[in-house]
């Protein structure tokens, strides 16, 4: 990261020289960290559209090219040739594992899949009709009350154990949230199943009947996990980093990430998208919804469309679309009406200058819901599945932040436009 070039900023008769940092990929970054100390001004960037908040070596996105790299490896290669736990290793430790490293990692994750038995009681405190995301925010936050021996962030061993626990237990917690919501008994994890199969089994097996998913479904599930594993400094990851910057324990930080992910502009879009496709119902109603999405007086947006960073296509959506075709084919779901609406909506939107000029393309959430619904998940489980997949990304970014010697508590400033100084007025005089 060379620092020999500077940008000149002139204002109010002052001239400041700001270092320009060169990344290994992506646009140069002007370092403004000394701007307030030297110039007495802040920068203003709501939504952080032009702001780099950290240095990172984990994930790179080129939104114009539609490129997503984890530690340099393209997502389409990882989705095709790798699998979720190997990608977890790559995100956490920076390199693809050897055979023995992967075996050891898989063993460590597998050994941590059960949750503390007393957590079962904790689940039972929720209303049956609680959204599984609500349950997950609470239960993951509560992990810090169950795993005291991995909350000291100054101890690298405890940080490692917390990371493995989170990756291992999130599928169990998500499956328990689901089982609780439908009034079925919890299904314990099985160490002889792979990560995706284990999750499917914990969701769909019952004590009275085993569940053995077709390998194509397990593969599709694993691919959904892989495609969501990390995505640079998005809203929930930035939330995890900001929470972690105060020294909060990792379980609290990941719970904060889950809360942020829930919103429909972020991870909640997969549920909102499938519900929208079902509401549209038939291709003849698509023009009505496209017109609504274009109407500035209507808050409706095409869910699963658009992205802050991708201005060409979302490479995850391409893989997801292929996966949707494979899964529906396997399950013999021909002419799935939701898939027909999705394909036609994509076609019509991409033929419309409103969407092409604003560079709005289908994102990862556009097709994922179709796969998840075909596998048998209700829409309320879509975002919990995103959360369990993204946990490794949050953990990798949190670990990177904790290990960064330049790390400081996150503390944005503001452009204050409120009342100026005034004296308190007694209530009888107001
Ligand atoms: N439908 C209709 N118009 C849209 C859409 C959409 N889905 N997305 C953006 N626009 C318009 C928006 O109205 C604005 O128009 P104008 O410039 O005339 O005011 C323009 O496109 C730029 O939008 P923006 O809101 O300034 O862009 P952003 O980068 O702040 O928002 C986004 C990105 C993903 C929040 C937004 O595209 C959106 O709300 N999409 C629908 C929700 C969705 O699918 N979210 C999942 C994102 S991918 C998974 C994840 O990150 O979790």
């Amino acid at each position: 990261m060379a620092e020999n070039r500077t940008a000149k900023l002139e204002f109010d008769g002052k001239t400041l020289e700001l270092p320009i940092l060169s990344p290994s990929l992506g646009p140069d970054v002007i370092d403004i960290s000394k701007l307030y100390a030297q110039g007495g001004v802040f920068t203003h960037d709501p939504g952080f559209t032009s702001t780099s908040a950290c240095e990172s070596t984990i994930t790179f996105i080129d939104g114009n090219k539609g490129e997503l790299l984890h530690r340099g490896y393209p997502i389409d290669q990882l989705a095709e040739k790798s699998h979720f736990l190997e990608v977890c290793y790559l995100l956490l430790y920076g390199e693809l594992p050897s055979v023995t490293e992967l075996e050891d990692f898989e063993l460590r994750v597998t050994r941590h899949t059960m949750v503390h038995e007393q957590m079962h009681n904790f689940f039972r405190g929720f209303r049956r009709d609680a959204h599984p995301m609500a349950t997950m925010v609470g239960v993951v936050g509560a992990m810090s009350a169950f795993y005291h021996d991995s909350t000291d962030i100054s101890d690298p061993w405890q940080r490692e154990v917390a990371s493995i626990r989170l990756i291992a237990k999130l599928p169990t917690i998500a499956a328990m949230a689901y089982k609780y919501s439908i009034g079925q008994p919890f299904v314990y994890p099985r160490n002889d199943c792979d990560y995706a199969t284990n999750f499917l089994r914990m969701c769909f097996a019952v004590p009275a009947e085993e569940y053995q998913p077709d390998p194509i479904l397990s593969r599709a599930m694993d691919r959904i996990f892989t495609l969501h594993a990390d995505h640079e400094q998005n809203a929930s990851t930035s939330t995890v980093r900001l929470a972690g910057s105060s020294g909060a324990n990792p379980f609290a930080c990941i719970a904060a990430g889950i809360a942020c992910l829930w919103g429909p502009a972020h991870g909640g879009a997969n549920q909102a998208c499938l519900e929208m496709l079902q509401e549209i119902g038939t291709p003849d109603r698509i023009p009505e919804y496209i017109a609504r999405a274009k109407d500035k007086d209507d808050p409706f947006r095409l869910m699963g469309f658009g992205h802050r960073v991708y201005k060409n296509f979302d490479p995850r959506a391409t893989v997801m679309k292929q996966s949707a075709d494979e899964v529906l084919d396997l399950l013999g779901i021909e002419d799935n009406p939701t898939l027909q609406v999705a394909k036609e909506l994509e076609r019509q939107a991409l033929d419309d200058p409103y969407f092409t000029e604003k560079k709005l393309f289908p994102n990862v959430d556009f097709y994922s819901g179709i796969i998840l619904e075909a596998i048998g998940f209700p829409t309320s489980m879509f975002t919990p599945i995103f959360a369990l997949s993204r946990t490794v990304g949050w953990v990798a970014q949190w670990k990177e932040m904790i290990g960064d010697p330049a790390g400081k508590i996150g503390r944005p400033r503001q452009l204050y436009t409120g009342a100026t100084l005034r004296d308190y007025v007694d209530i009888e005089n107001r």
Side-chain angles (χ1 to χ4, degrees):
M1 197 175 51
E3 269 189 50
N4 45 12
R5 290 181 303 137
T6 55
K8 200 178 277 183
L9 178 66
E10 291 181 348
F11 64 99
D12 293 347
K14 299 179 210 169
T15 303
L16 298 182
E17 299 272 344
L18 302 168
I20 299 180
L21 311 178
S22 300
S24 53
L25 286 172
D28 286 343
V29 170
I30 299 174
D31 179 353
I32 55 148
S33 54
K34 304 270 185 317
L35 184 63
Y36 179 59
Q38 293 173 356
V41 290
F42 299 141
T43 53
H44 186 58
D45 183 20
F48 310 114
T49 55
S50 307
T51 297
S52 148
C54 62
E55 193 181 322
S56 183
T57 61
I58 301 173
T59 293
F60 172 75
I61 303 173
D62 184 329
N64 294 322
K65 277 206 247 162
E67 185 176 70
L68 166 61
L69 310 178
H70 292 319
R71 305 284 190 184
Y73 297 103
I75 190 65
D76 49 330
Q77 288 185 24
L78 294 173
E80 192 198 327
K81 299 180 179 173
S82 184
H83 57 90
F84 182 65
L85 280 185
E86 186 176 65
V87 172
C88 288
Y89 185 99
L90 176 69
L91 290 169
L92 288 172
Y93 307 113
E95 295 297 335
L96 287 170
S98 66
V99 174
T100 47
E101 284 167 340
L102 184 60
E103 276 172 9
D104 172 64
F105 180 68
E106 289 184 337
L107 193 68
R108 280 191 291 145
V109 171
T110 305
R111 289 233 172 108
H112 278 286
T113 47
M114 287 202 303
V115 296
H116 194 292
E117 196 63 13
Q118 238 175 298
M119 272 193 141
H120 291 216
N121 302 334
F122 192 80
F123 268 92
R124 293 195 172 98
F126 287 96
R127 278 173 56 144
R128 280 279 173 209
D129 57 356
H131 193 288
M133 279 299 273
T135 311
M136 281 182 74
V137 174
V139 174
V140 173
M143 284 175 81
S144 36
F146 287 91
Y147 301 103
H148 296 148
D149 58 346
S150 52
T151 52
D152 177 358
I153 62 159
S154 63
D155 177 348
W157 185 83
Q158 293 203 29
R159 296 206 295 264
E160 179 64 18
V161 175
S163 307
I164 298 290
R165 279 187 168 142
L166 279 158
I167 293 162
K169 293 185 202 305
L170 256 288
T172 314
I173 290 171
M176 288 172 79
Y178 172 53
K179 285 298 198 188
Y180 186 73
S181 72
I182 56 171
Q184 288 187 4
F186 299 134
V187 174
Y188 287 90
R190 279 187 63 135
N191 288 2
D192 56 349
C193 293
D194 63 71
Y195 193 85
T197 305
N198 200 17
F199 175 63
L200 289 171
R201 201 187 146 270
M202 286 188 288
C203 289
F204 299 122
V206 286
E209 199 171 313
E210 247 313 322
Y211 171 86
Q212 185 57 48
D214 186 289
I216 295 187
L217 290 191
S218 292
R219 178 80 187 122
M221 191 74 253
D222 188 87
R223 218 176 242 179
I224 287 182
F225 294 158
T226 302
L227 291 174
H228 287 92
D230 189 46
H231 213 230
E232 206 225 58
Q233 308 310 321
N234 55 83
S236 57
T237 302
S238 299
T239 301
V240 170
R241 279 187 178 258
L242 195 56
S245 76
S246 73
N249 77 66
F251 306 113
C253 296
I254 302 303
I258 296 173
C260 177
L261 186 79
W262 195 358
H266 194 7
N270 51 15
Q271 171 169 355
C273 180
L274 196 88
E275 286 168 356
M276 174 195 76
L277 295 172
Q278 287 170 338
E279 188 184 305
I280 296 175
T282 48
D284 58 302
R285 298 192 60 207
I286 290 172
E288 180 196 327
Y289 282 81
I290 289 194
R292 282 188 62 196
K294 289 158 57 174
D295 181 356
K296 286 281 151 235
D297 298 325
D298 188 333
F300 174 77
R301 283 185 167 199
L302 276 194
M303 300 315 288
F305 253 80
H307 198 275
R308 169 63 62 78
V309 184
Y310 293 119
K311 299 300 174 197
N312 186 330
F313 65 96
D314 179 342
R316 303 167 302 171
T318 315
V319 183
M320 208 63 97
K321 189 175 179 180
Q322 270 171 17
S323 237
D325 281 332
E326 270 172 38
V327 168
L328 296 183
D329 197 38
L330 170 84
L331 298 175
I333 307 176
E334 284 157 23
D335 301 329
N336 173 282
T338 317
L339 185 67
Q340 299 312 321
V341 172
K343 285 188 170 168
E344 184 55 21
L345 178 61
E346 179 183 358
R347 196 193 63 73
Q348 289 190 28
L350 296 184
D351 214 24
D352 188 314
Y354 173 92
F355 293 93
T356 47
E357 280 163 18
K358 291 184 191 299
K359 302 187 189 308
L360 300 170
F361 297 91
N363 59 48
V364 68
D365 291 326
F366 194 67
Y367 285 104
S368 63
I370 292 170
I371 305 176
L372 292 172
E373 195 206 26
I375 293 178
F377 287 106
T379 50
S380 61
M381 276 303 288
F382 294 2
T383 318
I385 289 170
F386 191 157
L388 84 86
S389 322
R390 181 56 57 84
T391 295
V392 62
W394 292 328
V395 167
Q397 302 266 353
W398 171 81
K399 279 179 88 181
E400 181 176 67
M401 185 201 67
I402 299 289
D404 182 354
K408 296 174 176 236
I409 185 166
R411 177 53 169 98
R413 301 308 299 262
Q414 63 177 1
L415 171 65
Y416 177 71
T417 54
T420 53
L421 180 67
R422 49 185 172 162
D423 285 325
Y424 179 81
V425 180
D426 291 332
I427 195 160
E428 60 275 15
N429 297 328
R430 281 175 223 157

